[in-house]
């Protein structure tokens, strides 16, 4: 008696091999259109790649082409569903742990070379004497000119306790400098700075949600309470892109009672749906709390700020957050690859989803847009305040800020301020403490001369608008008639570097001071200096110093009356 298994029967039916595999993978042989479409397109892709490999006029880098196809496919879904090949696993691990093996320095790429940008305090690069502005010319004897910064970064990284030999050129130093550096395990702190602002207000800056974020916030909070006797707290999540969801839940737990719901996740696989509640006794449920956010606060940052807002536990100040309400999980792929895939959406305590973009409904051209406010739904916080879904976390107090002058962007982007700070540090072995250091008129005049020596050019919005207007006038036939007016306006808007450096001195000087302070006091000094002129922080201190205003925002007194 002959016995046939499923594969034998299907082969007898003449099913192609790839379709056969898909049928076995997705279920029994049924006229299921979705499964058939998957099998058909896999077969087409397989055949197409074979034909290209055999007949395309030039040699094809199959790994590069297929990876590009994979990334394009995933990119059509959402920005957070990604393929991570084995070669990029270390970078992915760094995102979740903040750890890597290397010399501990930021680098920057310019004009086909890579430069040391910021050696981290106490790390091998700084201990070895590398400085911002050093141009890396060799690593272990291999020239680096022309190599992209990601390749240079890869060469600098390695197993802890191994040696890497770095050769650099330093401005105003004739001969190259060679340093033998012992790599170590670099741990990037999730809380790079905490301290006191105002009289009795604690401040904690949380830069990301790695697997150590909650522990670092806890240590900072306990230290501020025990040794500084703080009476209020500011938690700064500005620019924090998020990270591990569980760390966010734990941080919320420090400020709200055990058993409170922080969020729930819902996806296609119902068995994976989950509700996250606080599981520990809190540290402090009474301390007045402000959370600072901006458009760069996303994901786990929005869980913390959104949950604390929904539970009426903190006043949220700043700008509307990014609006990422999607949860990713990782799946193992062949050849040590990883798929980071969006598996669920998350909902904060009021029941709202704060996802700002619906990637499942794209425009005909493939683009997506934010959900308009008119289509959002109202929800209520614990104290009955109205909050809305569909567009990130809207702060309780939105702080309007003046846009920085256009020249400031280019002075930073073209590394003019970076270069001058390096030159300043080379000429000044020490500077005054933070809070006392100030650029003199002589310093600023020296900076202006430095800018001019660099033949600095920058775009002006007025020039762009004028050029666009000129094109429209020409198209509509008015340019000849209005030529004199255009010339007069062009003269009025002419590029005047001296004037702009004088007009926007206040903004430029602030950026320059922060960059110079970083040369002497590193990342902590940079943060402390930037907090000296911080509109969000000023507003936070104003609210925390006014109990009536704080209670009114959170509807605290009204809620107490309704409970009586």
């Amino acid at each position: 008696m002959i016995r046939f298994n499923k594969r034998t029967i299907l082969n007898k039916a003449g099913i192609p091999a790839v379709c056969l595999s898909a049928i076995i993978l997705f279920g029994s042989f049924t006229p299921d259109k979705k499964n058939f479409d998957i099998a058909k397109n896999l077969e087409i892709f397989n055949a197409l790649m074979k034909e290209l490999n055999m007949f395309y006029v030039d040699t094809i880098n199959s790994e590069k082409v297929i990876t590009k196809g994979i990334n394009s496919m995933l990119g059509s879904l959402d920005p957070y569903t990604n393929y991570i090949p084995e070669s990029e696993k270390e970078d992915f691990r760094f995102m979740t742990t903040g750890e890597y093996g290397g010399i501990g320095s930021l680098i920057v790429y310019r004009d086909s070379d890579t430069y040391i940008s910021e050696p981290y305090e106490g790390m091998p690069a700084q201990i070895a004497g590398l400085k911002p502005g050093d141009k890396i010319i060799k690593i272990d004897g291999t020239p680096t000119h022309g190599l992209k910064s990601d390749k240079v970064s890869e060469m600098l990284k390695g197993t802890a306790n191994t040696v890497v030999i770095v050769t650099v050129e330093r401005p105003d130093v004739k001969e190259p400098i060679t340093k033998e550096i012992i790599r170590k395990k670099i741990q990037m702190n999730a809380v790079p700075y905490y301290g006191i602002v105002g009289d009795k207000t604690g401040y904690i800056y949380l830069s990301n949600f790695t697997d150590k974020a909650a522990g670092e916030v806890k240590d900072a909070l306990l230290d501020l309470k025990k040794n500084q006797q703080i009476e209020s707290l500011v938690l700064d999540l500005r620019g924090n892109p998020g990270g591990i969801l569980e760390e966010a839940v734990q941080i919320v737990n420090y400020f709200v009672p055990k058993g409170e719901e922080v969020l729930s996740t819902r996806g296609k696989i119902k068995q994976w749906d989950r509700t996250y509640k606080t599981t520990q006794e809190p540290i402090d449920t009474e301390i007045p709390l402000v959370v600072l956010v901006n458009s760069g606060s996303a994901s786990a940052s929005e869980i913390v700020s959104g949950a604390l807002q929904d539970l009426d536990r903190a006043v949220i100040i700043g700008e509307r957050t990014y609006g990422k309400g999607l949860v990713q999980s990782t799946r193992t792929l062949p050849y040590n690859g990883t798929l980071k895939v969006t598996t669920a959406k998350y909902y904060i305590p009021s029941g709202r989803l704060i996802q700002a973009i619906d990637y499942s409904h794209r425009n005909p051209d493939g683009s997506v847009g934010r959900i308009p406010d008119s289509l959002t739904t109202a929800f209520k916080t614990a104290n009955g305040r109205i909050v809305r879904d569909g567009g990130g976390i809207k702060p309780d107090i939105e702080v309007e800020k003046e846009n920085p002058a256009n020249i400031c962007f280019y002075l930073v982007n073209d590394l003019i301020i970076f270069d001058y700070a390096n030159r300043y540090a080379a000429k000044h072995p020490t500077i005054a403490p933070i809070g006392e250091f100030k650029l003199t008129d002589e310093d600023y005049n020296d900076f202006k001369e430095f800018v001019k020596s660099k033949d600095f050019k920058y775009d002006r919005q007025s020039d762009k608008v004028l050029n666009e207007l000129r094109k429209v006038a020409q198209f509509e036939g008015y340019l000849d008639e209005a030529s004199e007016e255009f010339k007069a306006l062009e003269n009025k808007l002419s590029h005047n570097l001296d004037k702009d450096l004088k007009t926007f001195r206040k903004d430029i000087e602030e950026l320059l001071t922060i960059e110079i302070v970083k040369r002497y006091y590193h990342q902590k000094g940079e943060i402390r200096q930037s907090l000296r002129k911080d509109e969000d922080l000023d507003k936070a201190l104003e609210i925390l110093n006014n109990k009536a205003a704080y209670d009114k925002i959170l509807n605290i007194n009204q809620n107490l009356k309704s409970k009586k």
Side-chain angles (χ1 to χ4, degrees):
M1 179 179 179
I2 300 174
R3 300 176 64 88
F4 294 97
N5 60 26
K6 185 189 292 186
R7 184 177 294 273
T8 304
I9 295 171
L10 293 176
N11 274 334
K12 291 290 184 181
I15 305 296
V18 172
C19 294
L20 168 63
S21 299
I23 291 169
I24 294 172
L25 176 63
F26 296 112
S28 59
F29 184 44
T30 61
D32 186 299
K33 188 176 186 308
K34 180 181 177 182
N35 291 347
F36 175 75
D37 285 345
I38 293 173
K40 180 185 76 173
N41 285 289
L42 285 172
E43 179 76 4
I44 291 170
F45 184 85
N46 184 50
L48 186 149
M49 191 61 215
K50 284 182 178 179
E51 297 296 317
L52 285 175
N53 189 49
M54 290 179 64
F55 300 115
Y56 187 70
V57 63
D58 294 319
T59 302
I60 290 177
N61 184 328
S62 57
E63 183 174 358
K64 184 178 180 180
V65 169
I66 293 173
T67 299
K68 188 172 183 179
I70 291 170
N71 291 337
S72 179
M73 173 182 68
L74 298 180
S76 70
L77 303 177
D78 65 54
Y80 317 110
T81 296
N82 310 125
Y83 167 57
I84 304 164
E86 183 179 15
S87 61
E88 296 176 16
K89 265 194 170 182
E90 189 62 26
D91 291 336
F92 180 67
R93 193 180 77 85
F94 169 66
M95 291 171 60
T96 57
T97 66
E99 291 182 2
Y100 70 97
I103 67 171
S105 176
L106 293 179
I107 55 177
V108 61
Y109 181 79
R110 67 192 292 192
D111 302 329
S112 301
D113 284 299
T114 299
Y115 293 75
I116 296 292
S117 170
E118 182 185 348
Y120 297 130
E121 185 176 10
M123 294 295 117
Q126 194 237 347
I127 293 171
L130 295 185
K131 296 181 178 181
D134 285 349
K135 180 169 74 173
I136 301 172
I137 59 174
K138 289 182 183 179
I139 299 176
D140 288 332
T142 302
T144 56
H145 177 73
L147 298 180
K148 296 294 185 181
S149 57
D150 57 347
K151 178 62 178 177
V152 175
S153 175
E154 184 182 321
M155 294 167 72
L156 291 171
K157 291 177 180 176
T159 306
N161 298 319
T162 58
V163 174
V164 59
I165 299 173
V166 181
T167 303
V168 301
E169 288 180 353
R170 183 170 295 166
D172 301 324
V173 176
K174 291 183 179 180
E175 297 297 324
I177 300 169
T178 298
K179 301 287 185 180
E180 189 176 281
I181 305 173
I182 300 176
R183 298 183 180 100
K184 66 179 288 188
K185 185 173 77 171
I186 309 299
Q187 174 63 58
M188 299 302 298
N189 292 328
V191 177
Y193 174 75
Y194 69 92
I196 297 293
V197 290
D199 293 328
K200 286 288 186 178
T201 299
Y203 170 89
I204 300 175
Y205 173 51
L206 180 62
S207 62
N208 51 63
F209 286 82
T210 64
D211 58 358
K212 298 173 183 63
E216 291 185 33
V217 170
K218 181 179 181 180
D219 291 343
L221 178 57
L222 291 175
D223 184 42
L224 289 170
K225 284 174 64 68
K226 179 180 178 181
N227 297 316
Q228 303 293 337
Q229 291 81 46
I230 59 170
E231 296 175 359
S232 56
L233 179 68
V234 175
L235 177 62
D236 192 346
L237 299 179
R238 290 175 297 180
N240 186 323
I244 299 174
L245 179 152
E246 288 82 0
E247 297 294 302
V249 175
Q250 198 169 336
I251 289 170
V252 172
N253 195 167
Y254 298 153
F255 305 103
V256 302
K258 181 179 179 180
E260 289 279 0
E261 181 176 326
V262 177
L263 80 155
S264 60
T265 60
R266 303 173 212 160
K268 179 187 292 184
I269 302 175
K270 299 306 176 186
Q271 297 93 319
W272 290 2
D273 289 355
R274 185 174 171 186
T275 297
Y276 292 82
K277 294 185 177 183
T278 54
T279 58
Q280 308 289 327
E281 292 300 326
I283 294 174
D284 194 328
T285 61
E286 300 296 330
I287 190 170
L289 176 63
V290 164
V291 179
L292 302 182
V293 295
N294 64 8
S295 59
S297 306
S299 191
S301 292
E302 295 172 297
I303 292 173
V304 171
S305 56
L308 292 174
Q309 185 180 57
D310 281 0
L311 297 171
D312 294 305
R313 180 60 189 89
V315 173
I316 314 301
I317 292 178
E319 302 170 348
R320 187 190 289 257
T321 61
Y322 182 81
K324 179 180 181 289
L326 305 177
V327 181
Q328 285 72 48
S329 302
T330 57
R331 308 292 297 170
T332 301
L333 297 177
Y335 300 99
N336 294 318
T338 301
L339 173 65
K340 180 164 72 73
V341 56
T342 298
T343 54
K345 299 176 180 179
Y346 72 75
Y347 301 79
I348 50 180
S350 63
R352 56 181 169 146
L353 169 69
I354 53 84
Q355 177 65 22
I357 298 175
D358 183 359
Y359 292 102
S360 63
H361 294 88
R362 293 178 177 267
N363 299 320
D365 64 355
S367 64
V368 291
R370 292 179 70 92
I371 298 170
D373 288 343
S374 59
L375 297 181
T376 60
T377 304
F379 293 81
K380 286 187 177 182
T381 68
N383 288 345
R385 296 186 297 145
I386 299 297
V387 289
R388 306 193 74 87
D389 66 357
I393 303 300
K394 183 179 179 182
D396 301 308
I397 300 176
E398 294 188 80
V399 179
E400 292 187 12
K401 305 180 184 71
E402 292 184 10
N403 291 326
N406 197 38
I407 188 175
C408 291
F409 170 80
Y410 289 99
L411 286 171
V412 172
N413 192 63
D414 293 354
L415 301 177
I416 300 295
I417 285 179
F418 173 81
D419 287 340
Y420 184 78
N422 295 336
R423 191 174 92 156
Y424 186 95
K427 292 181 177 180
H428 300 80
T430 61
I431 62 171
I434 298 170
E436 297 179 24
F437 173 70
K438 187 177 181 181
L439 290 173
T440 64
D441 289 341
E442 183 182 353
D443 291 331
Y444 194 72
N445 288 331
D446 183 52
F447 171 71
K448 289 197 295 183
E449 293 304 315
F450 178 79
V451 174
K452 293 173 187 176
S453 73
K454 295 293 184 180
D455 193 27
F456 174 62
K457 298 287 191 296
Y458 61 101
D459 291 335
R460 289 161 51 106
Q461 290 301 314
S462 54
D463 290 342
K464 291 182 178 180
V465 173
L466 181 61
N467 287 333
E468 289 300 317
L469 181 60
R470 184 181 282 109
K471 289 177 184 177
V472 172
Q474 184 177 23
F475 176 77
E476 295 183 346
Y478 299 124
L479 185 59
D480 290 340
E481 296 178 26
S483 60
E484 292 301 319
E485 286 82 352
F486 269 106
K487 286 181 181 178
L489 187 56
E490 189 172 19
N491 288 333
K492 287 282 187 182
L493 300 176
S494 63
H495 197 89
N496 190 328
L497 182 59
D498 272 324
K499 179 183 177 183
D500 286 350
L501 287 171
K502 180 179 178 181
T503 302
F504 302 110
R505 173 173 174 170
K506 182 180 176 183
D507 293 340
I508 295 169
E509 212 168 51
E510 184 176 348
L511 292 170
L512 193 55
T513 300
I514 291 172
E515 191 69 23
I516 289 173
V517 164
K518 184 163 66 171
R519 297 294 176 275
Y520 300 88
Y521 300 106
H522 308 288
Q523 188 181 24
K524 290 179 181 178
E526 177 189 14
I527 295 170
R528 287 176 58 195
Q529 182 66 36
S530 65
L531 292 177
R532 294 182 60 78
K533 294 182 180 179
D534 190 318
E535 294 150 304
D536 292 341
L537 181 60
D538 290 344
K539 178 58 70 172
L541 293 174
E542 178 187 324
I543 294 300
L544 290 170
N545 290 327
N546 187 335
K547 186 177 186 304
Y550 180 88
D551 290 351
K552 183 178 180 181
I553 292 170
L554 298 180
N555 212 17
I556 290 175
N557 294 330
Q558 187 63 38
N559 185 54
L560 290 174
K561 289 178 183 177
S562 64
K563 287 181 178 180
K564 288 183 179 179

